[in-house]
């Protein structure tokens, strides 16, 4: 390895965490705050962990300006799990409209069909998931229990710059948002949201924790088949303690929330995200066609940047050289191929600068 610093990890998830947080967790591994216990050893109902949990929720609410009429739930199952948990809680077995913009929203549609009458209100599948369907063209049904969007597609690199205003489109359905891979990188317009969820392993913490933000008026809609541990009303009534929550995941997330506050909060994360994305897309677009990002400019993700080499016979050499340079996990998702750099909040701009330097060097050698 040619670098003297820790390698830069561009994994899409589980993903990079702030080094400061990792060091803090390591220092507290055997003894959290003089308790004589590590966090993984604590009872989830003991005063020590309850204080960790309460601080994590308080900081998360502050960072995202979550309104008081939304409940914050710390759950399990990841984004894929929520694809089933959401329709079991909100669909009432009726109509669900879904906007397909990539692999994750397509999975969401498939799962929701087990519990509801699903219609695809709009899709970008015809162009290979490289653009965003304009909300003005969405086919929304009257009486839908909710409308589902994935606001950032991790695999295809498509991101909504703003959430759709369903009321302006003539729909009174609540908007459900899967924001797993860009949560805490930009504000959320809560006035347009009924429920938002996010697997933590992309931009917050370790796999195993899922965050759910649900408007209180939507809590009492679960289908009878919904397991008690996944029923939002039950989970909310027990303060996310109906069953044993993912305690260590909540602890690490809480440390990340504190780190984010020290950095300047979501506003600063958005500023950095814009700067990092501009730098990386600039290098790709300025490569003279050696590298290609296929996503329409107005739909490009700030978090997940897929790209292709013009000569794909160079892929293995590119990845081998990247590893040697301390640039890890750049291989694209198996379903689309190519490369992908995930530049989440914890990725410093120095990591993106190092990647850009490598992109330029590789293109000069092989162009």
């Amino acid at each position: 390895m040619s670098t003297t610093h820790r390698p830069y990890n561009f994994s899409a998830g589980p993903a990079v965490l702030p080094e400061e947080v990792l060091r803090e967790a390591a220092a507290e591994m055997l003894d959290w705050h003089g308790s004589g216990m590590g966090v993984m050893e604590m009872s989830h109902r003991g005063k020590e962990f309850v204080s960790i949990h309460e601080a994590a929720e308080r900081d998360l609410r502050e960072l995202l300006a979550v309104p008081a009429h939304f409940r914050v739930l710390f759950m399990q199952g990841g984004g894929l799990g929520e694809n089933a948990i959401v329709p079991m809680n909100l669909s009432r077995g009726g109509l669900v409209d879904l906007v397909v913009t990539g692999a994750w929203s397509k999975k969401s549609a498939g799962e929701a069909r087990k519990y509801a009458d699903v219609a695809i209100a709009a899709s970008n599948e015809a162009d290979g998931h490289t653009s965003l369907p304009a909300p003005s063209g969405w086919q929304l049904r009257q009486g839908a229990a909710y409308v589902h969007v994935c606001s950032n597609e991790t695999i295809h690199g498509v991101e909504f710059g703003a959430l759709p205003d369903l009321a302006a489109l003539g729909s009174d359905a609540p908007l459900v948002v899967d924001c797993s891979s860009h949560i805490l990188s930009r504000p959320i317009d809560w006035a347009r949201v009924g429920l938002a969820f996010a697997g933590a392993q992309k931009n917050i913490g370790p796999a195993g924790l899922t965050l759910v933000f649900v408007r209180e008026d939507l809590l009492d809609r679960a289908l009878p088949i919904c397991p008690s541990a996944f029923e939002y009303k039950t989970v909310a009534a027990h303060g996310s303690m109906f069953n044993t929550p993912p305690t260590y995941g909540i602890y690490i997330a809480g440390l990340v929330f504190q780190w984010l506050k020290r950095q300047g909060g979501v506003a600063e994360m958005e500023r950095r995200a814009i700067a990092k994305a501009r730098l990386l897309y600039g290098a790709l677009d300025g490569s003279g066609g050696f590298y290609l990002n296929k996503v329409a400019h107005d739909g490009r993700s700030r978090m997940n940047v897929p790209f292709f080499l013009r000569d794909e016979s160079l892929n293995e050499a590119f990845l081998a050289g990247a590893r040697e340079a301390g640039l890890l996990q750049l291989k694209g998702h198996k379903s689309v191929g190519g490369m992908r750099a995930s530049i989440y909040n914890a990725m410093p701009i120095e990591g993106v600068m190092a990647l850009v330097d490598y992109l330029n060097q590789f293109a000069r050698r092989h162009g």
Side-chain angles (χ1 to χ4, degrees), residues 74-293:
F74 293 88
M75 298 182 67
Q76 291 151 314
L80 279 178
E82 285 301 319
N83 281 341
I85 295 168
V86 168
M88 281 194 286
N89 273 276
L90 298 189
S91 72
R92 293 175 166 171
L95 309 180
V96 169
D97 288 342
L98 216 137
V99 178
V100 172
T101 51
W104 285 103
S105 47
K106 190 173 181 179
K107 288 177 185 289
S108 300
E111 195 69 20
R113 287 192 178 97
K114 299 176 182 179
Y115 309 99
D117 176 353
V118 171
I120 305 303
S123 173
N124 63 0
E125 192 162 11
D127 66 21
H129 304 304
T130 58
S131 65
L132 286 171
S136 59
W138 294 3
Q139 301 297 310
L140 301 175
R141 297 178 292 178
Q142 292 299 313
Y146 64 88
V147 177
H148 177 116
V149 299
C150 178
S151 52
N152 186 74
E153 290 280 0
T154 319
I155 292 174
H156 288 92
V158 179
E159 180 176 20
F160 281 87
L163 293 176
D165 182 355
L166 295 186
L169 299 176
S171 172
D172 61 359
L175 179 68
V176 169
V177 183
D178 175 358
C179 54
S180 294
S181 51
H182 69 165
I183 188 172
L184 290 164
S185 71
R186 62 194 311 155
I188 293 176
D189 185 352
W190 295 106
R192 297 185 176 187
V193 174
L195 182 146
F197 68 85
Q201 72 273 17
K202 299 180 183 297
N203 213 22
I204 293 175
L209 169 64
T210 310
L211 305 176
V212 178
F213 310 83
V214 56
R215 215 170 60 202
E216 288 183 337
D217 64 296
L218 300 176
L219 286 174
D220 196 15
R221 298 187 175 191
L223 295 171
I225 62 168
C226 184
S228 299
F230 294 145
E231 186 177 3
Y232 294 144
K233 181 179 179 180
T234 300
V235 177
H238 290 83
S240 300
M241 298 286 185
F242 178 72
N243 64 323
T244 305
T247 54
Y248 201 74
I250 293 170
Y251 160 68
I252 296 294
L255 295 184
V256 171
F257 301 154
Q258 292 168 20
W259 177 82
L260 287 169
K261 290 173 65 176
R262 292 194 296 271
Q263 301 304 303
V266 170
E268 175 61 14
M269 290 301 106
E270 182 170 36
R271 186 197 69 77
R272 294 182 190 181
I274 292 170
K276 290 185 290 186
R278 183 175 294 142
L279 180 62
L280 181 50
Y281 284 116
L284 297 172
D285 293 342
S287 69
F290 188 89
Y291 304 107
L292 176 65
N293 173 275

Side-chain angles (χ1 to χ4, degrees), residues 352-364:
V352 180
M353 292 169 65
L355 174 57
V356 166
D357 285 345
Y358 175 70
L359 290 170
N360 292 337
Q361 292 170 19
F362 190 86
R364 282 196 298 269

